Amino acid sequence: MAPVPPPGVPLRRAALGLALALGCAAPAGAAEQPRTTHLEAVGSEDVRGAVTADEALALARDKARREAIRRACGTLVSAALTSVVAQQGDQTQSLTVSEASTRDEGIVIGEAWEPVQSVTLTDPATRTPFFRYTVRGRFEVAPLPEADTSLAVKLALGRQELVAGQDTLSFTVQPSEQVFAMVFNLAADEKVYPIYPNAHVKEPLRLPGQAATQLPREADPIVLRPQPAKGHKQDLERIRVIVSRRQLSPPAWGPDGAIELAEFFRWQHQRLRQEAFAQAEATYRVRAPGAGR
């Protein structure tokens, strides 16, 4: 999602979020970079129902990346117990619900793809033919950089469901202390679009401590109007904010205002590991007008 000048100019692309990196694995500020792992991984996805060919390819690649990360660095699984009280009439019932979550412990900092393979299959229940896409990639996977536990940042979206061409995106960022901040969008075209800074907002984003700042600010010459990527009816969009005590420079973006996905993660692996930083991420769904939820 590339930020553009207002008024109301649609964003060029939207995003299917790639949840590849949220966690820690190596000491912050380490003098030596942790070793990386080179391996192959495969992902498959079907073109059927509401899933288009472009969406299936994106999902298959995401599965291959996740498999590479799982095999190289592992996945952290955590569980939490939540008490729920339900009342019907004069009867009260208390339930305990177990919720599990997973977090990948690595990031892909390099990848190369082989030609896509496709096969035609038949649904045994409906006897309807469908395509299955399979992708194979060669990946370089690194452990996650460790965030500074003395820093913290909260990210809250104005809304989690948006309709392309109708809704705009806004969010609030609340750091634990005065910081410099960078904001990125991880997109479905396997690129990362800087929001702060970017080609239209070049000044560093300095945020006060403890206070919640709404972004984009009224004075910022940008408007965020997400839309699904080409060939997609709906997508998951991820916003990531990274805060630090020192001003940091993001990776260089190309003529389209985007950073290659692997280059972004390589920067995070090499540069952020040397800094005191914290990050937060939030997800929302954007859909084309008329597309079902």
Side-chain angles (χ1 to χ4, degrees):
M1 179 183 65
V4 295
V9 180
L11 293 177
R12 190 183 67 82
R13 296 297 291 267
L16 173 67
L18 304 178
L20 295 178
L22 278 180
C24 339
E32 296 182 2
Q33 295 293 339
R35 293 182 178 179
T36 61
T37 302
H38 295 262
L39 72 166
E40 291 188 355
V42 177
S44 296
E45 186 64 37
D46 297 339
V47 183
R48 59 193 305 186
V51 179
T52 67
D54 288 336
E55 290 171 333
L57 283 174
L59 290 169
R61 285 175 176 160
D62 195 18
K63 287 181 178 179
R65 292 187 183 101
R66 288 176 177 272
E67 175 63 15
I69 292 171
R70 185 191 65 80
R71 288 165 50 194
C73 298
T75 299
L76 177 66
V77 180
S78 59
L81 296 179
T82 303
S83 296
V84 179
V85 177
Q87 187 168 357
Q88 184 174 6
D90 57 354
Q91 295 184 345
T92 301
Q93 184 177 14
S94 179
L95 303 175
T96 300
V97 180
S98 176
E99 297 181 349
S101 62
T102 62
R103 185 186 69 197
D104 297 326
E105 290 294 282
I107 51 178
V108 171
I109 62 174
E111 59 184 36
W113 296 99
E114 296 182 4
V116 178
Q117 297 180 347
S118 64
V119 61
T120 302
L121 303 174
T122 302
D123 187 322
T126 63
R127 297 184 180 181
T128 303
F130 63 90
F131 287 108
R132 173 167 296 168
Y133 287 152
T134 299
V135 296
R136 180 183 298 271
R138 297 187 299 277
F139 302 96
E140 182 180 4
V141 180
L144 290 171
E146 183 177 357
D148 186 342
T149 56
S150 66
L151 270 177
V153 60
K154 297 179 181 178
L155 172 64
L157 301 182
R159 56 194 308 170
Q160 283 72 43
E161 297 278 345
L162 295 99
V163 178
Q166 300 178 20
D167 301 326
T168 59
L169 174 68
S170 63
F171 48 91
T172 59
V173 178
Q174 183 176 0
S176 58
E177 60 184 80
Q178 182 173 281
V179 294
F180 291 96
M182 294 179 288
V183 183
F184 302 93
N185 169 232
L186 279 67
D189 55 1
E190 299 178 1
K191 293 185 179 182
V192 177
Y193 292 91
I195 300 176
Y196 293 96
N198 61 60
H200 308 291
V201 184
K202 299 181 180 180
E203 294 298 319
L205 182 61
R206 192 74 182 265
L207 300 180
Q210 302 298 327
T213 301
Q214 182 165 327
L215 300 172
R217 298 164 298 192
E218 290 185 5
D220 291 335
I222 58 174
V223 60
L224 304 180
R225 292 186 180 277
Q227 58 183 337
K230 183 179 180 180
H232 294 198
K233 297 179 180 178
Q234 58 181 352
D235 280 319
L236 290 178
E237 184 86 9
R238 290 186 182 271
I239 298 296
R240 177 174 299 182
V241 58
I242 298 173
V243 299
S244 57
R245 295 188 177 98
R246 296 200 307 162
Q247 181 182 345
L248 302 178
S249 297
W253 53 78
D256 60 351
I259 305 165
E260 296 296 329
L261 184 66
E263 178 62 25
F264 176 79
F265 286 124
R266 184 177 294 277
W267 167 80
Q268 181 169 333
H269 166 62
Q270 296 176 343
R271 185 71 180 92
L272 289 190
R273 199 176 296 277
Q274 305 170 18
E275 299 291 339
F277 80 98
Q279 68 178 16
E281 187 171 279
T283 303
Y284 64 87
R285 186 179 303 277
V286 56
R287 57 186 177 85
R293 295 186 178 184

